[in-house]
């Protein structure tokens, strides 16, 4: 059974997510503080973490960093902070995706079933997302460095803006990948960059 750790200081959100996830046969553990989250995660290693950033004792980013010290389990940030700076900081710390409150406590709380994803015609990408995707698709199977992608998509003045790149790659995966936490096509090469990996059968 997949074990999910839900971390939030709002009791009603904890209750809603616990009920919805248990109905879907997940093994759910909850925590209302950062310290409790790290303790529970240590005792019951999660397969997925749903984490609020605004906790009473630790910032959610500190919790992400603590978890990333020993686990690769997907971390979905759940927060009322809509600012892109907060998103970039969370993704830089090791989060895999970012959901802004308010949100649906239904199936989408842990990501949609791959069979339920919208048809390709219904996917809307921003101009920057299109540009980034275009550069990757033009180089199938080729590792593109972070600096190369930043310079080509954003311009020469953005070579160090790696947070932007992480944010937009996460958005592309959320829109295009069947399972954004385990990407099939948009691959990260840690410390180096990204590449587009075509399906072998597609050729």
């Amino acid at each position: 059974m997949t074990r999910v750790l839900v971390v939030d200081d709002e009791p009603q959100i904890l209750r809603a997510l616990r009920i919805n996830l248990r109905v879907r046969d997940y093994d759910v553990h909850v925590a209302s503080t950062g310290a409790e989250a790290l303790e529970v995660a240590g005792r019951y290693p999660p397969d997925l973490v749903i984490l609020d950033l605004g906790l009473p004792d630790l910032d959610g980013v500190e919790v992400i960093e603590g978890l990333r010290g020993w686990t690769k389990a997907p971390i979905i940030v759940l927060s009322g902070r809509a600012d892109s700076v907060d998103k970039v900081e969370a993704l830089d710390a090791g989060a895999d995706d970012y959901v802004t409150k308010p949100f649906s406590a239904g199936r989408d709380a842990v990501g949609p079933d791959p069979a339920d994803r919208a048809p390709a015609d219904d996917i809307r990408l921003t101009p920057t997302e299109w540009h980034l995707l275009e550069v990757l698709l033009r180089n199938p199977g080729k590792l593109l460095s972070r600096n190369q992608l930043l310079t080509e998509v954003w311009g020469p003045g953005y070579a160090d803006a790696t947070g932007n790149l992480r944010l937009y790659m996460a958005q592309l995966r959320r829109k295009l990948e069947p399972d954004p936490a385990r990407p099939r096509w948009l691959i990260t090469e840690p410390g180096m960059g990204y590449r587009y990996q075509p399906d072998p059968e597609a050729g």
Side-chain angles (χ1 to χ4, degrees), residues 31-132:
S32 57
T33 68
E36 184 184 5
L38 294 172
E39 179 191 351
V40 172
R43 281 190 283 129
Y44 307 101
D47 299 300
L48 171 70
V49 179
I50 301 174
L51 171 69
D52 181 28
L53 288 184
L55 299 171
D57 56 342
L58 300 174
D59 188 83
V61 171
E62 295 178 83
V63 178
I64 295 170
E65 292 170 343
L67 291 170
R68 278 291 170 256
W70 61 273
T71 179
K72 294 183 179 179
I75 299 174
I76 299 176
V77 168
L78 181 65
S79 179
R81 306 176 189 175
D83 193 288
S84 62
V85 173
D86 292 307
K87 293 183 182 182
V88 168
E89 189 177 1
L91 292 168
D92 276 343
D96 295 278
D97 207 345
Y98 196 110
V99 178
T100 304
K101 296 177 183 178
F103 66 98
S104 167
R107 181 187 295 274
D108 288 340
V110 291
D113 189 301
D116 294 341
R117 293 189 71 79
D121 290 344
D122 293 337
I123 295 172
R124 291 179 171 82
L125 300 181
T126 67
T128 302
E129 289 168 350
W130 272 115
H131 193 179
L132 177 57

Side-chain angles (χ1 to χ4, degrees), residues 1-65:
M1 183 181 293
T2 301
R3 181 179 294 150
V4 181
L5 171 60
V6 182
V7 187
D8 201 299
D9 63 339
E10 297 183 42
Q12 64 272 28
I13 289 181
L14 279 184
R15 182 173 181 274
L17 284 174
R18 182 171 54 213
I19 291 171
N20 275 275
L21 291 168
R22 283 182 175 166
V23 164
R24 289 164 174 78
D25 294 324
Y26 289 95
D27 177 19
V28 185
H29 294 263
V30 298
S32 57
T33 68
E36 184 184 5
L38 294 172
E39 179 191 351
V40 172
R43 281 190 283 129
Y44 307 101
D47 299 300
L48 171 70
V49 179
I50 301 174
L51 171 69
D52 181 28
L53 288 184
L55 299 171
D57 56 342
L58 300 174
D59 188 83
V61 171
E62 295 178 83
V63 178
I64 295 170
E65 292 170 343

